[in-house]
Amino acid sequence: MKICKSVLNFFIREKILLALLVMFAVVSAAADSFFTVGNLSNLLIQVGLYGVVALGMTFAIIGGDFDLGAGPMVSFSSMAVALLLGRVGVVPAILITLFIAFCLGLCNGLLVAKAKINSFIVTFGSMVILQGMALTLGDGSPAATNHPAFNQIGALQIGRISFIFIIFMVLLLACHWILRYTQFGRNIYAIGGNYEVARSSGIHVDFYKASLFVLSAVFAAVGGILMAARVNTGHPTIGDDMTMTVIAGVVIGGTSLSGGKGNVWRTLLGIFVMMFLSNAFDALVIQPYIQRVIKGLIIISVVAIDSYSKTKIDVGDAGVLSKISKKL
Amino acid sequence: MDDIVLEMKHISKQFVGVKALDDVSLSVRRGEVHAICGENGAGKSTLMKILNGIYRADSGEIWLNGKLRNIQSPEEAHKAGLSIIFQEFNLVDTLSVAENIYLGRLREKGVKLNWRAIERRAEEQLKNIGAEIDPRIAVSRLSVSQKQMVEIAKALSYDANVIVMDEPSATLTDKEAQKLFSVISDLKKKQITVIYISHKMDEVFALSDRITVLRDGVAVSTAATKDTTRREVIASMVGRAMENEYPVRQGRRTDETVMRVTHIRRKPVLHDVSFEVKKGEILGIAGLVGAGRTELVRAVFGADPVSEGQIEIKGVQKKIKSPMDAIKNGVALVNEDRKELGLVLKFPIAENISICKIGSIVRKGFIQRKQENRIAEEYTGKLAIKSTSCRQKCVFLSGGNQQKVVLAKWLYADADILLLDEPTRGIDVGSKYEIYKWINRLADAGKAVVMISSELPEILGLSDRILVLHRGKVAGEFENEDKTATAEEIMSCAIG
Amino acid sequence: MEKRQKKKTDLKKYRMLFIFLGMIVLSALVNDRFLTVKNIANIMRQIAANGILACGMTFVMLTGGFDLSVGATLTLAGGTALTLQPYMGVGGAIAAALLVGALCGCFNGVILSGIKAGSGEAFMITLGSQLVIFGISLLVFKAKFIPGSKSAVYNAIGTGNLGWIPVPLLIFAATAAIAHVVLAYTSLGRRIYLTGGNYEAARLSGVRVGFYKMLVYVVVGVAAAMSAVVLTSRSGGCSSDIGKGYELDAIAAVMVGGTSTDGGEGNIGRTILGVLMIGVLNNILNLMGMSSFNQMIAKGIVVILAVWLDGSRKTDKGGAES
């Protein structure tokens, strides 16, 4: 009985998870092509690709910021790694790509943390720059990754589960550990929760603020590399639309855009919901245009319900009763 | 005996054109409670910010625990053994109590954090000061006084032997304040020095061993508490002798009922409250925090929806569903939180004064800026608001002057019924007196005033009639036209 | 002493203007075709669409809001204007487009004012409505390119000249002038500022904050529709991605101008400056024969740089507290 109640409470709190499970069941029943091994493993690959980018974004959002340049970074790094492959081999190509992402992320980070420029402007600027750089690299056209070992990363499966998804899960566990059990992770919560308090508590806020953008850039680059391995090409615009999907996923999972709250499991949930929707719509043969409309309506209703229920709770707070003293 | 733990010598600090501190020296003994009093703008906060490394002094020395210190950041202050608890809490709402206490210092050894150990340590810290708070819950779920306890625990966790508290009781209820005072005397027993900044004379005299008064950036006096009097301290704070804490009214109330509120309900805070207020009357509303005082005036003002109740203004029943309706009917609300609810801080004084009656300064759709400024100047002059010009932004005004702008706004809006919620909270003695005079003057001019205050003397000293609320209901009513009500009877009524 | 201080803040106030003038001088030195009447007319023609949109966006951002859906609104309104022309005539079609813009804005505004959204929520909600509105426009126009108008009047909106002044510039100037007058001198504008300056305090002072919070989204929706008309007229047609990226350009222009995301501070003059800077930048990079890809890189760098140089305004707060 008690267990029933706590399970019920859990689902009332985790509305999104409940909704996902219900939708999952409905779609499985409604569309034959959905609940198949092939389709589900495909779904996991999508979750893995977007999820990796979302991990970086989770850091940024918990820290109270977001990175508009994450998607273009995916495009750029997919191009970079594809072009480097042929020249320097797999491992150096990956490392160099990650290093470039690290440097670019650091630039963003320093501009926000040290030069105190609004992060929207900085990441908007770097978004445009990265789009330009991705296009410049291949003169606007995609670059094939003619390297079997590299392409194997994208193709490899371990018992029907894609290697990409496994990489994502490993990174997710690592991020969970960092965010939960290290001083570094907790300080990111602190700066997102209240920047001034973090500063006056002796936390080097500049360092942590900058590291948000580094992490976001590096994770996006990992996403780009995996993307290139998956489709066997570096594509200069492949990730441009990912930014918004990823931010939406993180927020729908329940990580608050105002910062200081959330975790990677929520990100997993949110990204899963986003990817599930696209996949389910395809399985249900819904026209892509209508898919957009439905997706948009879902984002709107989730955020609206969430924030509406928040304002409701605030009102009822009655405060603590206590006496008037003789003193006064 | 004269074991000096903190000594500030000849501290001066100048801001653009303003001398905030002028050659201030202060020495604090180990294990004493040292009160610092002064009006807003006297330099208390600046002095503390210098101690904390947020500002740098232009000249002067700080000796702390026997060493000359060059404190450049709060971190260095902590290392030197000094912690400051500011009025605005330094807590991250989204994180747990334990994490807040050890914010940025969670790690003991290794890379991995040991949450159990952190929570245990936090629990111990809290127990040390007698606070029973679960270290695992989020700070956002704590009450104000619990947050304060967490702040104190946090300060102590730095192994501080000097703790500065800036107006710690400003937002506490009296019971909570009592709790705080007992914690402070415990600290004293442990030879921990407390520097206590406060406006409230009662507290200062009950708690402190010595009192230093700052005025206009100068330390005007330091005296042992037992050798001085309340009146002396106030006099040196304001630079003149004060005859009365509360001004005496010239006029009397009338018998004409201006507003009658009947059976107002708003679950779960208000259960069937009725009251009326007469022309020229000051009605004081007393009660515990949480008794529904703020909720009552907000409901009357239309700021929150009510489930039931009627409001009659000058004998006519009115529907007040929004602040706009209230304003149209001549009702005004001065909020308890003037910074968040009373003013648009980043806007100029003039725009804050005209806010309720923008229509009155508009000709053919255009705002008449000259007229707006003229009105603002008229009111800043009338209320003696200290400012550089009427287009100065309100952020830059002191608390007392900000409150006067709020008052000016409602005066300009021509309100007949003024609902004042804690009108003197966080305001220094001098400005308080001026606000009191204004309240009297408004009543004399035939306005009806409803005043909420947690400071009982204020209620007793000003009101003609006192209404006591208890758990959302009227628990009692006291005549006080001749200031005959006593604190005891009101208090016992409020406790219920 | 005080006087010098005042002068200094005055200079700071106009820092962005100096950065802009510096940019013009530099451009003129780098390329001698830059300061020709023809080229300047060209710049003006190009900035009009973004300029009109940015004026609308200023309203939204003054209330502390955000609108990512205007690019989609632009596409939908543009398609409407072109598709309906054969049936309703030029005037009717434009009116219909403006109505579509207003409805899209209303959709956002009702939701956002209903949930009392902060800027984070505004970001997410308008992101959602971007998908919805764009989806609708794809559905309605079947993602096809809609050919330009046959009406000379309609085409003149984007390409015509009045004397030597391009018509789109006139439309932009008129929009900006109206927006400026409304914001700076009318009670409507004052109430919008108040809504953004402190929502709760304004509400408790009798300002109908919910209404103004909704209204600004209608304003930006109509502005999006107006730039759709200018744009579809100038480019002679409407593709399904005509509005793509316009929302970010407009927001960037407002922010480069220096209007803060907190609300309550900023003005149309600053927005115009932001629009001009981005427009001049695009133009000079084009003149220099830079590839479109490299232009993106340069544009990103200059936007960040300009805001950085302007940034010291933020530290204004510093000395004043005491």
Side-chain angles (χ1 to χ4, degrees):
Chain A
M1 203 47 208
K2 213 174 178 185
I3 297 171
C4 274
K5 216 173 186 179
S6 64
V7 168
L8 201 70
N9 273 333
F10 173 77
F11 278 117
I12 288 171
R13 239 181 317 131
E14 305 294 331
K15 295 181 203 76
I16 305 289
L17 185 59
L18 182 66
L20 177 67
L21 292 177
V22 171
M23 286 190 299
F24 202 91
V26 170
V27 176
S28 302
D32 296 336
S33 61
F34 177 73
F35 203 75
T36 60
V37 177
N39 185 48
L40 290 183
S41 83
N42 207 11
L43 175 60
L44 289 189
I45 292 173
Q46 289 299 316
V47 171
L49 288 171
Y50 279 76
V52 171
V53 184
L55 287 178
M57 193 65 85
T58 308
F59 279 98
I61 292 181
I62 290 176
D65 263 304
F66 52 81
D67 184 357
L68 292 175
M73 177 58 90
V74 171
S75 317
F76 169 76
S77 52
S78 84
M79 281 303 289
V81 79
L83 292 169
L84 284 167
L85 268 181
R87 301 193 172 86
V88 295
V90 178
V91 176
I94 292 176
L95 290 179
I96 293 172
T97 307
L98 290 178
F99 180 71
I100 298 172
F102 176 88
C103 294
L104 292 171
L106 191 61
C107 285
N108 281 345
L110 291 176
L111 287 168
V112 174
K114 283 285 173 199
K116 311 274 178 223
I117 312 175
N118 182 301
S119 67
F120 182 92
I121 286 283
V122 170
T123 60
F124 171 76
S126 66
M127 173 188 92
V128 184
I129 294 170
L130 283 165
Q131 283 173 346
M133 277 164 61
L135 288 162
T136 310
L137 279 182
D139 229 355
S141 43
T145 57
N146 298 318
H147 204 295
F150 181 76
N151 291 342
Q152 196 60 33
I153 300 174
L156 195 66
Q157 288 198 332
I158 298 170
R160 303 309 299 255
I161 292 176
S162 157
F163 187 53
I164 290 176
F165 184 71
I166 293 172
I167 292 180
F168 164 60
M169 284 310 288
V170 170
L171 288 173
L172 180 119
L173 289 171
C175 290
H176 168 70
W177 194 81
I178 291 171
L179 282 171
R180 181 84 190 114
Y181 291 110
T182 68
Q183 183 71 64
F184 177 86
R186 299 319 294 175
N187 285 353
I188 286 180
Y189 280 93
I191 65 163
N194 194 325
Y195 190 78
E196 286 308 316
V197 170
R199 201 225 310 266
S200 65
S201 301
I203 294 173
H204 292 289
V205 283
D206 291 353
F207 169 77
Y208 289 95
K209 191 115 250 186
S211 65
L212 299 180
F213 296 94
V214 173
L215 282 167
S216 169
V218 170
F219 274 101
V222 174
I225 292 166
L226 293 177
M227 187 70 93
R230 173 72 193 153
V231 297
N232 300 342
T233 21
H235 196 288
T237 57
I238 195 162
D240 288 3
D241 290 335
M242 280 175 85
T243 316
M244 294 305 174
T245 310
V246 162
I247 293 179
V250 173
V251 174
I252 282 185
T255 297
S256 155
L257 260 184
S258 50
K261 264 192 247 178
N263 57 49
V264 285
W265 301 106
R266 296 192 168 282
T267 299
L268 173 66
L269 175 64
I271 292 296
F272 202 92
V273 169
M274 296 300 285
M275 295 302 114
F276 161 80
L277 287 176
S278 312
N279 188 298
F281 289 151
D282 286 343
L284 294 167
V285 210
I286 294 176
Q287 222 188 322
Y289 308 153
I290 299 179
Q291 285 189 21
R292 279 172 184 275
V293 176
I294 299 176
K295 250 193 196 170
L297 288 175
I298 287 175
I299 294 179
I300 292 173
S301 32
V302 166
V303 178
I305 290 168
D306 185 48
S307 95
Y308 191 70
S309 55
K310 241 189 291 176
T311 55
K312 280 280 150 184
I313 292 164
D314 284 349
V315 176
D317 192 25
V320 187
L321 296 171
S322 75
K323 298 175 196 169
I324 288 184
S325 87
K326 279 182 190 173
K327 278 265 159 203
L328 289 173
Chain B
M1 178 69 213
D2 261 19
D3 183 6
I4 303 293
V5 67
L6 166 71
E7 187 152 33
M8 300 178 87
K9 291 181 182 165
H10 309 295
I11 304 280
S12 292
K13 172 78 186 171
Q14 189 141 10
F15 290 109
V16 192
V18 189
K19 212 157 203 181
L21 290 176
D22 189 3
D23 194 27
V24 171
S25 295
L26 175 71
S27 69
V28 182
R29 293 178 196 145
R30 186 176 307 279
E32 76 170 343
V33 176
H34 193 119
I36 296 182
C37 303
E39 295 189 273
N40 285 350
K44 293 168 302 183
S45 305
T46 312
L47 192 65
M48 293 309 121
K49 281 182 177 161
I50 287 173
L51 255 184
N52 205 21
I54 294 171
Y55 293 154
R56 302 285 313 276
D58 299 334
S59 62
E61 293 176 348
I62 299 172
W63 291 75
L64 189 55
N65 288 317
K67 281 189 204 133
L68 179 64
R69 309 277 178 171
N70 179 17
I71 298 170
Q72 301 211 21
S73 71
E75 222 183 335
E76 288 177 15
H78 288 141
K79 277 186 194 142
L82 179 131
S83 265
I84 299 192
I85 301 170
F86 284 103
Q87 242 171 316
E88 285 97 29
F89 291 131
N90 254 332
L91 298 173
V92 182
D93 274 348
T94 53
L95 300 180
S96 75
V97 171
E99 189 163 3
N100 266 290
I101 292 178
Y102 293 104
L103 197 69
R105 305 170 293 138
L106 296 162
R107 195 159 63 96
E108 266 190 312
K109 53 180 182 239
V111 180
K112 192 181 173 198
L113 302 177
N114 184 347
W115 280 110
R116 247 190 229 154
I118 292 165
E119 278 154 10
R120 208 177 44 235
R121 276 191 290 156
E123 204 158 8
E124 268 166 36
Q125 274 308 347
L126 288 164
K127 266 203 191 117
N128 269 341
I129 54 168
E132 272 170 41
I133 301 168
D134 182 356
R136 277 168 291 270
I137 64 171
V139 165
S140 57
R141 288 171 56 194
L142 299 182
S143 71
V144 181
S145 84
Q146 283 176 316
K147 284 184 188 174
Q148 186 133 44
M149 292 301 147
V150 174
E151 278 277 16
I152 295 173
K154 182 177 174 181
L156 288 173
S157 77
Y158 285 99
D159 288 328
N161 61 353
V162 180
I163 294 184
V164 182
M165 297 185 186
D166 187 7
E167 299 271 356
S169 65
T171 47
L172 295 186
T173 63
D174 288 293
K175 191 186 172 194
E176 290 168 336
Q178 286 306 321
K179 181 88 205 276
L180 173 73
F181 301 155
S182 73
V183 169
I184 290 175
S185 39
D186 278 354
L187 292 176
K188 203 173 136 182
K189 276 179 207 141
K190 290 176 191 159
Q191 286 291 299
I192 288 169
T193 310
V194 176
I195 297 177
Y196 193 91
I197 300 173
S198 181
H199 290 311
K200 296 186 184 168
M201 285 300 117
D202 307 284
E203 292 174 5
V204 167
F205 275 84
L207 277 173
S208 68
D209 300 309
R210 290 197 298 159
I211 301 172
T212 294
V213 176
L214 285 184
R215 187 175 73 226
D216 301 329
V218 180
V220 282
S221 72
T222 298
T225 308
K226 56 182 189 307
D227 301 334
T228 184
T229 64
R230 212 182 145 101
R231 190 157 285 184
E232 273 172 26
V233 172
I234 292 179
S236 55
M237 275 166 71
V238 295
R240 66 192 139 82
M242 296 253 283
E243 277 77 48
N244 280 312
E245 268 184 83
Y246 301 99
V248 181
R249 255 187 85 175
Q250 308 296 318
R252 306 284 277 184
R253 67 176 165 192
T254 65
D255 284 334
E256 184 188 336
T257 301
V258 181
M259 177 165 73
R260 175 176 288 131
V261 175
T262 39
H263 305 303
I264 213 158
R265 278 174 212 270
R266 178 175 166 248
K267 275 170 191 164
V269 282
L270 294 175
H271 312 284
D272 193 10
V273 178
S274 304
F275 71 91
E276 56 176 53
V277 56
K278 299 196 164 69
K279 190 174 177 182
E281 182 181 44
I282 301 174
L283 174 67
I285 297 188
L288 314 175
V289 169
R293 297 171 304 174
T294 298
E295 289 80 359
L296 176 63
V297 286
R298 278 179 67 95
V300 171
F301 189 65
D304 298 322
V306 290
S307 38
E308 241 180 85
Q310 279 102 40
I311 295 169
E312 229 175 66
I313 289 169
K314 290 174 188 153
V316 187
Q317 188 144 332
K318 301 278 184 188
K319 272 208 175 98
I320 294 185
K321 294 209 149 154
S322 70
M324 206 168 43
D325 297 339
I327 292 164
K328 266 187 208 149
N329 287 303
V331 183
L333 171 64
V334 174
N335 286 288
E336 53 180 336
D337 184 351
R338 64 180 164 271
K339 286 186 179 170
E340 288 297 319
L341 304 176
L343 292 172
V344 186
L345 282 181
K346 51 188 164 186
F347 283 23
I349 296 169
E351 294 187 10
N352 271 294
I353 290 178
S354 66
I355 183 168
C356 299
K357 263 179 44 178
I358 297 174
S360 70
I361 49 163
V362 172
R363 299 274 172 281
K364 290 179 184 153
F366 290 95
I367 286 181
Q368 307 296 307
R369 203 171 262 253
K370 271 189 197 150
Q371 192 189 344
E372 183 175 44
N373 289 346
R374 205 170 52 237
I375 291 160
E377 261 151 29
E378 181 193 329
Y379 280 88
T380 48
K382 227 194 225 170
L383 285 143
I385 298 170
K386 275 180 222 151
S387 61
T388 53
S389 87
C390 67
R391 303 222 66 94
Q392 190 182 14
K393 291 182 179 173
C394 293
V395 214
F396 301 130
L397 301 179
S398 72
N401 282 318
Q402 283 178 349
Q403 191 67 307
K404 286 187 199 163
V405 175
V406 176
L407 219 49
K409 154 177 129 178
W410 291 116
L411 287 182
Y412 178 61
D414 238 346
D416 298 321
I417 301 156
L418 290 142
L419 310 170
L420 313 177
D421 192 356
E422 304 280 3
T424 61
R425 171 176 287 176
I427 289 175
D428 56 78
V429 179
S431 304
K432 254 185 192 174
Y433 195 78
E434 279 181 70
I435 303 262
Y436 294 148
K437 277 202 285 194
W438 265 102
I439 293 173
N440 277 344
R441 211 172 296 166
L442 288 169
D444 289 343
K447 315 256 180 201
V449 179
V450 177
M451 181 181 75
I452 294 176
S453 177
S454 289
E455 292 187 38
L456 214 38
E458 202 170 276
I459 296 259
L460 293 169
L462 287 177
S463 327
D464 296 318
R465 195 153 54 89
I466 300 166
L467 200 69
V468 183
L469 290 190
H470 175 68
R471 298 202 177 173
K473 284 182 187 154
V474 177
E477 202 181 311
F478 298 86
E479 266 311 316
N480 191 38
E481 194 162 11
D482 305 311
K483 313 295 174 250
T484 47
T486 64
E488 283 75 19
E489 59 185 8
I490 287 176
M491 189 180 51
S492 64
C493 180
I495 293 164
Chain C
M1 172 83 196
E2 261 180 13
K3 211 168 189 181
R4 198 191 307 155
Q5 190 62 28
K6 192 156 181 248
K7 230 178 205 169
K8 212 167 145 194
T9 53
D10 275 358
L11 279 183
K12 267 185 190 167
K13 224 171 163 177
Y14 296 113
R15 188 181 287 232
M16 202 45 132
L17 192 61
F18 291 125
I19 298 172
F20 176 61
L21 292 176
M23 223 165 95
I24 289 194
V25 171
L26 211 65
S27 307
L29 290 176
V30 170
N31 195 301
D32 51 9
R33 270 186 305 158
F34 177 75
L35 267 188
T36 56
V37 175
K38 194 178 159 217
N39 185 49
I40 287 173
N42 202 16
I43 296 177
M44 294 307 156
R45 208 179 288 282
Q46 280 162 353
I47 63 168
N50 187 31
I52 294 166
L53 192 51
C55 284
M57 193 61 87
T58 309
F59 278 71
V60 173
M61 291 179 65
L62 280 177
T63 63
F66 224 77
D67 193 346
L68 291 175
S69 70
V70 287
T73 306
L74 196 156
T75 309
L76 186 61
T80 309
L82 289 182
T83 317
L84 289 182
Q85 259 176 51
Y87 311 106
M88 306 173 68
V90 173
I94 291 177
L98 294 180
L99 185 68
V100 165
L103 284 176
C104 292
C106 205
F107 176 73
N108 285 326
V110 166
I111 295 173
L112 289 169
S113 89
I115 63 168
K116 297 187 181 138
S119 66
E121 277 122 10
F123 185 92
M124 289 307 298
I125 298 267
T126 57
L127 177 63
S129 57
Q130 177 193 53
L131 288 171
V132 174
I133 296 167
F134 191 49
I136 292 174
S137 87
L138 287 173
L139 269 176
V140 174
F141 306 121
K142 309 212 166 39
K144 280 186 200 133
F145 178 81
I146 305 160
S149 165
K150 291 188 183 70
S151 150
V153 179
Y154 191 81
N155 288 334
I157 294 172
T159 54
N161 281 314
L162 209 72
W164 49 270
I165 306 169
V167 177
L169 175 65
L170 284 176
I171 298 175
F172 169 40
T175 313
I178 293 169
H180 174 70
V181 168
V182 167
L183 283 179
Y185 301 114
T186 69
S187 54
L188 172 67
R190 170 65 65 79
R191 289 184 172 115
I192 287 172
Y193 273 100
L194 287 169
T195 303
N198 184 340
Y199 186 86
E200 203 48 30
R203 184 176 85 93
L204 292 175
S205 302
V207 176
R208 277 186 298 163
V209 283
F211 171 73
Y212 295 102
K213 195 156 189 136
M214 193 217 56
L215 185 70
V216 291
Y217 287 93
V218 177
V219 169
V220 80
V222 172
M226 281 171 68
S227 41
V229 170
V230 170
L231 209 56
T232 51
S233 159
R234 181 162 64 87
S235 55
C238 179
S239 64
S240 63
D241 61 353
I242 192 167
K244 201 179 172 201
Y246 262 84
E247 63 278 356
L248 293 179
D249 274 349
I251 293 169
V254 177
M255 289 184 72
V256 165
T259 297
S260 81
T261 41
D262 304 337
E265 282 168 313
N267 58 50
I268 289 290
R270 292 189 151 278
T271 297
I272 294 174
L273 197 57
V275 171
L276 283 172
M277 283 191 60
I278 291 177
V280 166
L281 188 64
N282 281 336
N283 176 265
I284 186 68
L285 294 176
N286 246 332
L287 286 182
M288 283 160 68
M290 203 181 260
S291 82
S292 64
F293 308 152
N294 287 332
Q295 274 188 35
M296 295 169 85
I297 301 177
K299 189 170 139 192
I301 293 173
V302 173
V303 166
I304 294 178
L305 220 61
V307 177
W308 188 2
L309 290 173
D310 186 43
S312 50
R313 272 191 313 109
K314 269 197 176 165
T315 52
D316 268 7
K317 298 177 208 155
E321 58 180 356
S322 64

